[in-house]
Amino acid sequence: MLSTSITSITSTLQHLNIRKLNIVNFKNHELREFVFSKKINCLVGNNGVGKTNVLDALYYLSFSKSFINSTDTQNIRNDEEFFSLRGVYDVNGIDETILLNFSRKKGKQMKRNDKEYERISDHIGLLPLVIISPQDIRLILDGSAERRKFLDSAISQFNNSHLVALQNYGRALLQRNKILKSSNGVVDPIMLEMWDQHLISNGKILYDNRKAFVKDFIGEFRKYYGLISTNGGELPMLRYESQLDEFTMEQLLKDSLRRDMVLQHTSMGVHKDDLIFEVSGMSLKNSGSQGQQKTFLTALKLAQYSFLGRVGKRPILLLDDIFDKLDPTRVNAIVKMVLSDDTFGQIFITHTSPVDLERMLKEVTDDFEMFEIQ
Protein backbone atom coordinates (compact mmCIF):
# COMPACT_ATOMS: atom_id res chain seq x y z
CA MET A 1 0.00 0.00 0.00
CA LEU A 2 1.20 3.49 -0.77
CA SER A 3 2.06 5.92 1.98
CA THR A 4 0.15 9.20 2.22
CA SER A 5 3.04 10.87 0.41
CA ILE A 6 5.18 9.31 -2.28
CA THR A 7 7.61 12.20 -2.38
CA SER A 8 9.40 10.72 0.63
CA ILE A 9 10.50 7.70 -1.42
CA THR A 10 14.15 7.79 -2.44
CA SER A 11 15.85 5.34 -4.78
CA THR A 12 18.95 5.14 -6.92
CA LEU A 13 18.06 5.59 -10.57
CA GLN A 14 17.95 2.09 -12.04
CA HIS A 15 19.12 1.32 -15.54
CA LEU A 16 16.87 -0.29 -18.17
CA ASN A 17 17.06 -0.74 -21.92
CA ILE A 18 16.14 -3.33 -24.52
CA ARG A 19 19.11 -4.54 -26.61
CA LYS A 20 17.44 -6.95 -29.01
CA LEU A 21 13.89 -7.62 -30.23
CA ASN A 22 12.70 -10.62 -32.27
CA ILE A 23 9.22 -10.62 -33.83
CA VAL A 24 7.47 -13.60 -35.46
CA ASN A 25 3.98 -13.40 -37.06
CA PHE A 26 3.03 -10.27 -35.13
CA LYS A 27 0.48 -8.15 -36.98
CA ASN A 28 1.98 -7.31 -40.39
CA HIS A 29 5.50 -8.49 -39.44
CA GLU A 30 6.39 -12.04 -40.48
CA LEU A 31 9.94 -12.13 -39.17
CA ARG A 32 11.98 -9.22 -37.79
CA GLU A 33 15.07 -8.74 -35.66
CA PHE A 34 16.25 -5.42 -34.24
CA VAL A 35 19.43 -4.56 -32.33
CA PHE A 36 18.75 -1.26 -30.60
CA SER A 37 20.80 1.70 -29.41
CA LYS A 38 20.90 2.41 -25.69
CA LYS A 39 19.63 5.95 -26.25
CA ILE A 40 17.50 6.97 -29.26
CA ASN A 41 15.96 4.61 -31.82
CA CYS A 42 14.05 5.98 -34.83
CA LEU A 43 11.57 3.81 -36.75
CA VAL A 44 10.88 5.51 -40.07
CA GLY A 45 8.79 4.65 -43.13
CA ASN A 46 5.50 5.30 -44.88
CA ASN A 47 2.17 5.04 -43.10
CA GLY A 48 0.94 1.46 -42.80
CA VAL A 49 4.31 -0.31 -42.95
CA GLY A 50 4.20 -1.33 -39.27
CA LYS A 51 6.24 1.24 -37.32
CA THR A 52 3.64 1.46 -34.56
CA ASN A 53 3.38 -2.34 -34.50
CA VAL A 54 7.05 -2.52 -33.45
CA LEU A 55 6.26 -0.17 -30.56
CA ASP A 56 3.26 -2.35 -29.71
CA ALA A 57 5.58 -5.37 -29.53
CA LEU A 58 7.68 -3.51 -26.95
CA TYR A 59 4.51 -2.60 -25.06
CA TYR A 60 3.44 -6.26 -25.08
CA LEU A 61 6.73 -7.35 -23.51
CA SER A 62 6.18 -4.86 -20.64
CA PHE A 63 2.45 -5.33 -20.04
CA SER A 64 1.60 -8.70 -21.67
CA LYS A 65 -1.01 -6.94 -23.82
CA SER A 66 -1.39 -4.54 -26.74
CA PHE A 67 -2.04 -0.83 -26.38
CA ILE A 68 -4.10 -0.96 -29.60
CA ASN A 69 -6.01 -4.27 -29.81
CA SER A 70 -7.57 -5.63 -26.64
CA THR A 71 -7.93 -9.17 -28.07
CA ASP A 72 -4.71 -11.18 -28.49
CA THR A 73 -5.97 -13.06 -31.56
CA GLN A 74 -6.25 -9.75 -33.43
CA ASN A 75 -2.46 -9.44 -33.24
CA ILE A 76 -1.64 -12.69 -35.05
CA ARG A 77 -0.47 -12.21 -38.64
CA ASN A 78 -3.07 -13.17 -41.24
CA ASP A 79 -3.57 -16.94 -41.72
CA GLU A 80 -1.03 -17.84 -39.02
CA GLU A 81 -1.68 -19.80 -35.81
CA PHE A 82 0.55 -17.90 -33.39
CA PHE A 83 2.78 -14.91 -32.75
CA SER A 84 5.99 -14.73 -30.74
CA LEU A 85 7.90 -11.81 -29.20
CA ARG A 86 11.34 -12.06 -27.60
CA GLY A 87 13.22 -9.22 -25.97
CA VAL A 88 16.71 -9.19 -24.45
CA TYR A 89 16.96 -6.43 -21.83
CA ASP A 90 19.76 -4.89 -19.80
CA VAL A 91 18.39 -4.30 -16.30
CA ASN A 92 21.02 -2.77 -14.04
CA GLY A 93 23.77 -4.59 -15.96
CA ILE A 94 22.00 -7.97 -15.84
CA ASP A 95 20.54 -9.65 -18.94
CA GLU A 96 16.82 -10.42 -18.75
CA THR A 97 15.25 -12.39 -21.61
CA ILE A 98 11.47 -12.09 -21.91
CA LEU A 99 9.53 -14.42 -24.23
CA LEU A 100 5.84 -13.99 -24.99
CA ASN A 101 4.01 -16.55 -27.14
CA PHE A 102 0.36 -16.57 -28.08
CA SER A 103 -1.36 -19.29 -30.12
CA ARG A 104 -4.97 -19.80 -31.10
CA LYS A 105 -4.95 -23.24 -29.45
CA LYS A 106 -2.83 -22.79 -26.32
CA GLY A 107 -3.40 -19.14 -25.48
CA LYS A 108 -0.77 -16.91 -23.87
CA GLN A 109 2.53 -17.99 -22.35
CA MET A 110 5.16 -15.69 -20.89
CA LYS A 111 8.66 -16.61 -19.73
CA ARG A 112 11.44 -14.75 -17.95
CA ASN A 113 14.88 -16.28 -18.55
CA ASP A 114 13.24 -19.53 -19.76
CA LYS A 115 11.10 -19.84 -16.62
CA GLU A 116 7.36 -19.53 -17.17
CA TYR A 117 5.40 -17.13 -14.99
CA GLU A 118 2.79 -18.78 -12.77
CA ARG A 119 0.87 -15.50 -12.95
CA ILE A 120 1.61 -13.12 -15.79
CA SER A 121 0.62 -10.23 -13.50
CA ASP A 122 3.85 -10.91 -11.55
CA HIS A 123 5.74 -9.54 -14.57
CA ILE A 124 4.20 -6.05 -14.37
CA GLY A 125 6.73 -3.51 -13.12
CA LEU A 126 9.86 -5.40 -14.19
CA LEU A 127 10.10 -3.42 -17.44
CA PRO A 128 8.38 -0.06 -16.90
CA LEU A 129 7.36 1.71 -20.08
CA VAL A 130 5.50 4.89 -21.04
CA ILE A 131 4.02 5.51 -24.47
CA ILE A 132 2.82 8.80 -25.99
CA SER A 133 0.61 8.15 -29.01
CA PRO A 134 -2.47 9.41 -30.88
CA GLN A 135 -4.42 6.77 -28.92
CA ASP A 136 -4.04 8.97 -25.82
CA ILE A 137 -6.92 11.19 -26.95
CA ARG A 138 -9.21 8.49 -25.54
CA LEU A 139 -8.22 9.69 -22.08
CA ILE A 140 -10.10 12.91 -22.81
CA LEU A 141 -12.92 11.81 -25.10
CA ASP A 142 -13.86 8.42 -23.63
CA GLY A 143 -15.50 7.59 -20.31
CA SER A 144 -14.00 7.37 -16.84
CA ALA A 145 -12.81 3.78 -17.37
CA GLU A 146 -9.96 5.02 -19.59
CA ARG A 147 -8.76 7.48 -16.96
CA ARG A 148 -8.98 4.88 -14.19
CA LYS A 149 -6.92 2.56 -16.38
CA PHE A 150 -4.26 5.27 -16.70
CA LEU A 151 -4.16 5.73 -12.91
CA ASP A 152 -4.04 2.02 -12.12
CA SER A 153 -1.45 1.25 -14.80
CA ALA A 154 0.83 4.05 -13.58
CA ILE A 155 0.61 2.90 -9.95
CA SER A 156 0.90 -0.83 -10.72
CA GLN A 157 4.26 -0.34 -12.45
CA PHE A 158 5.90 0.49 -9.12
CA ASN A 159 3.44 -1.02 -6.62
CA ASN A 160 2.46 -4.65 -7.26
CA SER A 161 0.09 -4.70 -4.26
CA HIS A 162 -2.09 -2.18 -6.09
CA LEU A 163 -2.37 -4.54 -9.05
CA VAL A 164 -3.29 -7.40 -6.70
CA ALA A 165 -6.00 -5.28 -5.05
CA LEU A 166 -7.29 -4.26 -8.49
CA GLN A 167 -7.58 -7.89 -9.60
CA ASN A 168 -9.23 -8.92 -6.32
CA TYR A 169 -11.70 -6.06 -6.57
CA GLY A 170 -12.53 -6.99 -10.17
CA ARG A 171 -13.21 -10.62 -9.26
CA ALA A 172 -15.38 -9.64 -6.29
CA LEU A 173 -17.33 -7.15 -8.43
CA LEU A 174 -17.96 -9.84 -11.05
CA GLN A 175 -19.25 -12.30 -8.44
CA ARG A 176 -21.46 -9.71 -6.73
CA ASN A 177 -22.99 -8.77 -10.08
CA LYS A 178 -23.71 -12.45 -10.80
CA ILE A 179 -25.57 -12.70 -7.49
CA LEU A 180 -27.58 -9.57 -8.31
CA LYS A 181 -28.48 -10.84 -11.80
CA SER A 182 -29.74 -14.19 -10.51
CA SER A 183 -31.47 -12.88 -7.39
CA ASN A 184 -35.06 -12.45 -8.69
CA GLY A 185 -35.60 -10.00 -5.86
CA VAL A 186 -34.00 -12.20 -3.18
CA VAL A 187 -30.26 -12.42 -2.45
CA ASP A 188 -28.27 -14.85 -0.34
CA PRO A 189 -27.11 -12.55 2.52
CA ILE A 190 -24.09 -14.74 3.39
CA MET A 191 -22.74 -14.79 -0.16
CA LEU A 192 -23.45 -11.09 -0.60
CA GLU A 193 -21.65 -10.24 2.65
CA MET A 194 -18.61 -12.28 1.62
CA TRP A 195 -18.17 -10.45 -1.69
CA ASP A 196 -19.00 -7.11 -0.10
CA GLN A 197 -16.11 -7.58 2.32
CA HIS A 198 -13.74 -8.19 -0.60
CA LEU A 199 -14.98 -5.01 -2.29
CA ILE A 200 -14.64 -3.01 0.94
CA SER A 201 -11.06 -4.09 1.79
CA ASN A 202 -9.66 -3.89 -1.74
CA GLY A 203 -11.64 -0.76 -2.62
CA LYS A 204 -10.04 1.06 0.32
CA ILE A 205 -6.55 0.12 -0.94
CA LEU A 206 -7.34 1.35 -4.47
CA TYR A 207 -8.82 4.61 -3.20
CA ASP A 208 -5.90 5.39 -0.87
CA ASN A 209 -3.31 4.58 -3.55
CA ARG A 210 -5.01 6.61 -6.27
CA LYS A 211 -5.49 9.60 -3.98
CA ALA A 212 -1.86 9.54 -2.81
CA PHE A 213 -0.58 9.17 -6.37
CA VAL A 214 -2.53 12.13 -7.74
CA LYS A 215 -1.49 14.30 -4.81
CA ASP A 216 2.21 13.68 -5.47
CA PHE A 217 1.93 13.50 -9.25
CA ILE A 218 0.24 16.84 -9.93
CA GLY A 219 3.36 18.93 -9.30
CA GLU A 220 5.34 16.87 -11.81
CA PHE A 221 2.53 17.19 -14.34
CA ARG A 222 2.27 20.97 -14.01
CA LYS A 223 6.03 21.31 -14.46
CA TYR A 224 5.94 19.53 -17.82
CA TYR A 225 2.81 21.34 -18.94
CA GLY A 226 4.59 24.64 -18.32
CA LEU A 227 7.64 23.50 -20.30
CA ILE A 228 5.57 22.49 -23.35
CA SER A 229 2.75 25.05 -23.32
CA THR A 230 2.87 28.11 -25.55
CA ASN A 231 0.70 30.02 -23.07
CA GLY A 232 2.35 30.58 -19.71
CA GLY A 233 -0.88 31.83 -18.13
CA GLU A 234 -2.69 28.48 -18.33
CA LEU A 235 -3.26 26.55 -15.10
CA PRO A 236 -3.71 22.79 -15.71
CA MET A 237 -5.48 20.73 -13.06
CA LEU A 238 -5.88 17.04 -12.25
CA ARG A 239 -8.66 16.26 -9.80
CA TYR A 240 -9.41 12.79 -8.47
CA GLU A 241 -13.12 12.20 -7.82
CA SER A 242 -14.45 9.25 -5.84
CA GLN A 243 -17.62 8.35 -4.00
CA LEU A 244 -15.30 7.41 -1.13
CA ASP A 245 -14.53 11.10 -0.66
CA GLU A 246 -17.81 11.35 1.29
CA PHE A 247 -18.85 7.80 2.18
CA THR A 248 -17.21 4.51 3.18
CA MET A 249 -17.35 1.63 0.75
CA GLU A 250 -19.43 -0.33 3.25
CA GLN A 251 -22.00 2.47 3.46
CA LEU A 252 -22.18 2.81 -0.33
CA LEU A 253 -22.87 -0.89 -0.82
CA LYS A 254 -25.47 -0.98 1.93
CA ASP A 255 -27.35 2.14 0.80
CA SER A 256 -27.43 1.13 -2.86
CA LEU A 257 -28.46 -2.54 -2.42
CA ARG A 258 -32.13 -2.11 -3.39
CA ARG A 259 -31.19 -0.06 -6.43
CA ASP A 260 -28.49 -2.58 -7.38
CA MET A 261 -31.02 -5.42 -7.25
CA VAL A 262 -33.25 -3.56 -9.71
CA LEU A 263 -30.33 -2.64 -11.98
CA GLN A 264 -28.75 -6.10 -11.52
CA HIS A 265 -25.27 -4.67 -11.11
CA THR A 266 -23.19 -2.81 -8.51
CA SER A 267 -23.76 0.89 -9.07
CA MET A 268 -21.51 2.36 -6.36
CA GLY A 269 -17.84 1.97 -5.52
CA VAL A 270 -14.30 2.80 -6.65
CA HIS A 271 -15.04 1.30 -10.08
CA LYS A 272 -16.90 4.58 -10.69
CA ASP A 273 -13.95 6.85 -9.79
CA ASP A 274 -12.76 9.47 -12.28
CA LEU A 275 -9.78 11.72 -12.95
CA ILE A 276 -10.97 15.18 -13.99
CA PHE A 277 -8.92 17.17 -16.54
CA GLU A 278 -9.18 20.97 -16.44
CA VAL A 279 -7.29 24.00 -17.76
CA SER A 280 -7.81 27.32 -15.97
CA GLY A 281 -10.96 25.98 -14.31
CA MET A 282 -12.58 24.79 -17.56
CA SER A 283 -13.24 21.23 -18.70
CA LEU A 284 -10.51 20.06 -21.08
CA LYS A 285 -13.00 17.91 -23.00
CA ASN A 286 -15.68 20.56 -23.45
CA SER A 287 -13.65 23.77 -23.62
CA GLY A 288 -10.03 22.87 -24.38
CA SER A 289 -8.53 23.67 -27.77
CA GLN A 290 -6.75 20.96 -29.76
CA GLY A 291 -3.43 22.51 -28.78
CA GLN A 292 -4.36 22.46 -25.09
CA GLN A 293 -5.53 18.85 -25.30
CA LYS A 294 -2.33 17.68 -27.01
CA THR A 295 -0.18 19.64 -24.55
CA PHE A 296 -2.14 18.24 -21.60
CA LEU A 297 -1.78 14.62 -22.74
CA THR A 298 1.91 14.94 -23.59
CA ALA A 299 2.64 16.57 -20.22
CA LEU A 300 0.62 13.83 -18.49
CA LYS A 301 2.75 11.08 -20.04
CA LEU A 302 6.09 12.85 -19.58
CA ALA A 303 5.21 13.42 -15.93
CA GLN A 304 4.33 9.73 -15.61
CA TYR A 305 7.74 8.88 -17.07
CA SER A 306 9.56 11.20 -14.67
CA PHE A 307 7.54 10.00 -11.69
CA LEU A 308 8.19 6.30 -12.39
CA GLY A 309 11.91 7.02 -12.76
CA ARG A 310 11.87 8.75 -9.39
CA VAL A 311 10.25 5.90 -7.47
CA GLY A 312 11.75 2.93 -9.35
CA LYS A 313 13.38 2.07 -12.67
CA ARG A 314 13.69 4.68 -15.40
CA PRO A 315 11.11 3.56 -18.00
CA ILE A 316 11.54 3.04 -21.72
CA LEU A 317 9.83 5.90 -23.58
CA LEU A 318 7.87 5.37 -26.82
CA LEU A 319 6.95 8.41 -28.93
CA ASP A 320 4.48 7.29 -31.60
CA ASP A 321 3.87 9.78 -34.40
CA ILE A 322 3.66 12.71 -31.98
CA PHE A 323 5.62 15.13 -34.19
CA ASP A 324 2.86 15.00 -36.81
CA LYS A 325 0.23 15.91 -34.21
CA LEU A 326 1.81 18.96 -32.57
CA ASP A 327 2.71 22.41 -33.84
CA PRO A 328 6.43 23.21 -34.46
CA THR A 329 6.84 25.23 -31.24
CA ARG A 330 5.64 22.38 -29.04
CA VAL A 331 7.64 19.82 -31.03
CA ASN A 332 10.82 21.85 -30.58
CA ALA A 333 10.20 22.13 -26.83
CA ILE A 334 9.62 18.38 -26.48
CA VAL A 335 12.64 17.38 -28.57
CA LYS A 336 15.05 19.64 -26.65
CA MET A 337 13.64 18.60 -23.30
CA VAL A 338 13.56 14.84 -23.90
CA LEU A 339 16.74 14.39 -25.92
CA SER A 340 19.05 16.69 -24.00
CA ASP A 341 17.90 15.77 -20.47
CA ASP A 342 19.77 12.95 -18.70
CA THR A 343 16.52 12.15 -16.89
CA PHE A 344 15.39 10.34 -20.04
CA GLY A 345 16.89 6.96 -20.93
CA GLN A 346 16.13 4.77 -23.94
CA ILE A 347 13.70 6.38 -26.40
CA PHE A 348 11.86 5.06 -29.48
CA ILE A 349 10.42 7.47 -32.07
CA THR A 350 8.25 6.78 -35.12
CA HIS A 351 8.09 9.18 -38.07
CA THR A 352 7.26 9.07 -41.77
CA SER A 353 10.22 11.17 -42.97
CA PRO A 354 13.79 10.07 -42.09
CA VAL A 355 15.17 13.34 -43.48
CA ASP A 356 12.92 15.56 -41.35
CA LEU A 357 13.47 13.48 -38.23
CA GLU A 358 17.24 13.39 -38.66
CA ARG A 359 17.37 17.15 -39.12
CA MET A 360 15.26 17.64 -35.99
CA LEU A 361 17.41 15.31 -33.88
CA LYS A 362 20.77 16.65 -35.04
CA GLU A 363 19.91 20.04 -33.58
CA VAL A 364 20.21 18.35 -30.19
CA THR A 365 22.26 15.14 -30.48
CA ASP A 366 24.09 12.75 -32.81
CA ASP A 367 23.41 9.75 -30.56
CA PHE A 368 20.61 7.99 -32.45
CA GLU A 369 19.97 5.02 -34.76
CA MET A 370 17.66 4.93 -37.81
CA PHE A 371 15.63 1.83 -38.70
CA GLU A 372 13.77 2.05 -42.00
CA ILE A 373 10.66 -0.13 -41.98
CA GLN A 374 9.73 -1.42 -45.44
Side-chain angles (χ1 to χ4, degrees):
M1 195 169 163
L2 291 177
S3 64
T4 54
S5 176
I6 305 171
T7 52
S8 60
I9 297 177
T10 57
S11 62
T12 303
L13 193 62
Q14 299 184 58
H15 176 77
L16 168 67
N17 66 69
I18 180 168
R19 295 195 290 106
K20 185 183 291 186
L21 172 66
N22 294 91
I23 299 175
V24 180
N25 294 335
F26 184 69
K27 298 188 176 183
N28 67 328
H29 296 291
E30 181 180 9
L31 185 64
R32 295 270 190 180
E33 179 176 285
F34 297 92
V35 178
F36 294 124
S37 161
K38 293 181 179 181
K39 186 61 179 174
I40 302 164
N41 298 276
C42 307
L43 305 170
V44 296
N46 295 330
N47 290 325
V49 297
K51 303 185 300 295
T52 298
N53 292 342
V54 177
L55 298 190
D56 202 21
L58 298 175
Y59 190 93
Y60 243 113
L61 289 172
S62 283
F63 296 101
S64 76
K65 61 182 180 182
S66 166
F67 75 89
I68 301 171
N69 298 321
S70 58
T71 305
D72 291 307
T73 52
Q74 293 178 329
N75 300 302
I76 301 176
R77 190 168 177 267
N78 287 343
D79 302 323
E80 300 293 345
E81 291 300 314
F82 75 98
F83 73 77
S84 178
L85 304 172
R86 180 178 180 272
V88 179
Y89 292 80
D90 177 357
V91 183
N92 296 329
I94 299 172
D95 275 0
E96 295 276 2
T97 300
I98 305 300
L99 177 67
L100 189 150
N101 294 320
F102 178 82
S103 72
R104 299 183 193 275
K105 292 182 180 179
K106 297 182 179 180
K108 190 183 297 183
Q109 178 193 55
M110 198 164 191
K111 293 182 178 181
R112 175 184 178 186
N113 300 327
D114 295 324
K115 183 178 180 181
E116 186 171 358
Y117 281 101
E118 292 184 11
R119 298 178 304 176
I120 292 180
S121 60
D122 291 339
H123 175 70
I124 307 303
L126 176 68
L127 309 171
L129 177 147
V130 172
I131 181 166
I132 303 176
S133 86
Q135 303 281 337
D136 294 336
I137 193 64
R138 294 181 301 188
L139 286 168
I140 297 173
L141 301 182
D142 288 3
S144 60
E146 280 294 324
R147 293 179 288 279
R148 284 195 303 276
K149 187 164 70 172
F150 166 76
L151 274 178
D152 292 327
S153 175
I155 298 169
S156 295
Q157 287 198 76
F158 66 89
N159 184 350
N160 188 258
S161 66
H162 184 86
L163 180 59
V164 172
L166 187 66
Q167 293 171 329
N168 290 341
Y169 186 94
R171 281 191 289 267
L173 184 64
L174 181 65
Q175 294 302 321
R176 190 179 194 268
N177 287 343
K178 283 183 178 179
I179 293 173
L180 294 170
K181 286 179 181 178
S182 61
S183 66
N184 293 320
V186 180
V187 296
D188 182 338
I190 296 177
M191 291 297 293
L192 191 69
E193 171 67 17
M194 181 182 72
W195 293 117
D196 279 3
Q197 287 304 313
H198 282 287
L199 290 176
I200 291 166
S201 58
N202 290 289
K204 180 69 162 55
I205 293 172
L206 297 178
Y207 172 74
D208 288 344
N209 286 352
R210 290 169 178 172
K211 197 173 184 67
F213 174 78
V214 173
K215 178 182 177 182
D216 285 306
F217 178 77
I218 191 168
E220 204 96 37
F221 162 68
R222 282 179 169 168
K223 179 186 77 174
Y224 281 101
Y225 190 96
L227 291 171
I228 301 169
S229 176
T230 57
N231 184 351
E234 294 174 351
L235 180 63
M237 183 64 184
L238 297 173
R239 184 160 45 83
Y240 174 51
E241 280 191 354
S242 175
Q243 294 163 345
L244 267 67
D245 291 335
E246 298 182 28
F247 306 98
T248 65
M249 190 74 193
E250 184 175 14
Q251 187 177 356
L252 288 172
L253 293 173
K254 181 180 178 181
D255 293 347
S256 65
L257 179 57
R258 285 190 178 182
R259 182 168 179 258
D260 289 352
M261 290 174 66
V262 173
L263 296 174
Q264 296 188 325
H265 68 261
T266 307
S267 61
M268 307 289 274
V270 295
H271 58 287
K272 299 293 184 180
D273 290 357
D274 202 353
L275 185 62
I276 308 302
F277 297 162
E278 294 176 338
V279 175
S280 299
M282 304 293 288
S283 165
L284 184 64
K285 179 178 180 179
N286 298 328
S287 304
S289 67
Q290 285 191 356
Q292 286 174 326
Q293 291 182 350
K294 292 170 185 176
T295 299
F296 198 101
L297 292 171
T298 304
L300 194 72
K301 291 302 190 72
L302 291 177
Q304 180 192 3
Y305 179 97
S306 178
F307 188 94
L308 290 175
R310 177 158 59 88
V311 300
K313 298 187 193 79
R314 181 165 56 187
I316 293 170
L317 179 63
L318 311 183
L319 304 177
D320 183 26
D321 201 25
I322 67 164
F323 300 136
D324 289 339
K325 309 302 179 185
L326 293 169
D327 62 74
T329 303
R330 288 182 173 88
V331 168
N332 189 54
I334 293 171
V335 168
K336 288 184 177 179
M337 175 174 49
V338 171
L339 303 187
S340 62
D341 190 340
D342 289 339
T343 301
F344 293 87
Q346 193 177 33
I347 300 169
F348 291 81
I349 304 171
T350 65
H351 200 279
T352 54
S353 171
V355 176
D356 290 347
L357 184 56
E358 185 174 358
R359 183 177 63 249
M360 198 183 308
L361 296 178
K362 279 194 170 182
E363 292 181 7
V364 184
T365 180
D366 290 320
D367 186 11
F368 60 86
E369 294 285 342
M370 285 278 182
F371 299 89
E372 188 167 355
I373 310 297
Q374 299 289 343

